[in-house]
Amino acid sequence: ELKVEQNPLFLSMQEGKNYTIYCNYSTTSDRLYWYRQDPGKSLESLFVLLSNGAVKQEGRLMASLDTKARLSTLHITAAVHDLSATYFCAVDVRAAGNKLTFGGGTRVLVKP
Amino acid sequence: EAGVAQSPRYKIIEKRQSVAFWCNPISGHATLYWYQQILGQGPKLLIQFQNNGVVDDSQLPKDRFSAERLKGVDSTLKIQPAKLEDSAVYLCASARGVLNYGYTFGSGTRLTVV
């Protein structure tokens, strides 16, 4: 059974500082996704990582994938209040029929 | 392109009552998913459809949950009878096909069972 674990579960950030969220998964995956969820809202796609060594960046967020270590990281550079949200990673395994298995989420709160 | 439509947005019912949720995926998307998201947790897959056939319903509590996707377009998810632990957000998602890697999520239905 595929397991996806995120840590930390909660991250209190100070504006202007850098932080990293980690996502570990238990079996070989074909694609790794990062989503953002604001309170009471649905899931907003941030990144899709397709291969080992993939790195994608959008604004203050950068995601990377190490398939050998079965690890993805979401790096936040110079945190700002607007980044407060819950971040989920999800894994998609083609052999399992293309469905997303989610981690438990990391709740991020950026304080002034 | 219109997004994934879900209704109702909110629903409050008493335990042992029944409830139904509706989802209209993006036009042309063959694959449809229902996820359950309990407060403070990540979404958990309940059922996956490919056109109007079920691909995976291994995590669907079949004694009380049912889902259908008639004509391979809209889908309904039903709970009967509801339990307190069914309180959650029910998210519908669609994708163009089994080999496609773009998933689009709807806004969800927030169910509260009292």
Side-chain angles (χ1 to χ4, degrees):
Chain A
E1 179 188 348
L2 173 60
K3 292 189 186 301
V4 182
E5 294 184 349
Q6 286 182 239
N7 66 85
L9 296 180
F10 177 73
L11 199 44
S12 178
M13 300 183 179
Q14 290 186 349
E15 281 193 329
K17 294 194 173 180
N18 303 331
Y19 298 87
T20 301
I21 299 170
Y22 299 89
C23 174
N24 290 91
Y25 52 95
S26 60
T27 64
T28 302
S29 80
D30 293 291
R31 296 180 280 267
L32 191 292
Y33 296 73
W34 284 97
Y35 287 90
R36 168 181 172 145
Q37 188 175 44
D38 292 291
K41 305 291 186 182
S42 189
L43 296 163
E44 174 191 354
S45 179
L46 296 175
F47 303 108
V48 181
L49 302 170
L50 303 179
S51 60
N52 187 43
V55 177
K56 290 197 174 180
Q57 183 165 4
E58 181 73 33
R60 301 176 187 274
L61 301 178
M62 183 176 71
S64 64
L65 179 62
D66 181 344
T67 57
K68 294 179 181 178
R70 296 177 184 166
L71 171 68
S72 180
T73 60
L74 181 66
H75 188 72
I76 299 172
T77 301
V80 293
H81 179 70
D82 284 353
L83 293 179
S84 296
T86 299
Y87 294 85
F88 292 95
C89 66
V91 171
D92 186 356
V93 179
R94 190 177 304 170
N98 285 108
K99 57 184 72 72
L100 294 177
T101 301
F102 284 83
T106 297
R107 186 178 166 215
V108 167
L109 180 61
V110 183
K111 298 180 178 179
Chain B
E1 157 176 277
V4 175
Q6 290 189 246
S7 67
R9 189 77 176 88
Y10 304 95
K11 191 74 176 179
I12 301 175
I13 62 172
E14 295 183 349
K15 59 183 179 183
R16 292 187 289 275
Q17 286 188 326
S18 63
V19 64
F21 313 128
W22 173 81
C23 173
N24 187 1
I26 291 175
S27 178
H29 279 198
T31 312
L32 185 147
Y33 309 82
W34 282 102
Y35 283 86
Q36 179 193 57
Q37 186 177 20
I38 294 172
L39 185 64
Q41 299 182 17
K44 183 187 82 171
L45 179 71
L46 291 175
I47 190 166
Q48 176 187 3
F49 291 95
Q50 175 70 15
N51 295 311
N52 60 349
V54 175
V55 175
D56 183 357
D57 64 356
S58 58
Q59 298 191 81
L60 187 73
K62 299 180 185 66
D63 58 336
R64 297 183 301 106
F65 286 65
S66 64
E68 61 181 8
R69 190 184 183 196
L70 298 177
K71 302 180 181 179
V73 182
D74 293 6
S75 177
T76 56
L77 176 69
K78 297 179 181 178
I79 307 175
Q80 182 179 10
K83 292 185 176 181
L84 296 176
E85 58 261 37
D86 298 332
S87 294
V89 174
Y90 292 84
L91 294 165
C92 179
S94 69
R96 191 168 299 276
V98 174
L99 299 181
N100 176 264
Y101 58 85
Y103 298 87
T104 304
F105 284 82
S107 298
T109 296
R110 181 176 298 275
L111 173 67
T112 302
V113 182
V114 297

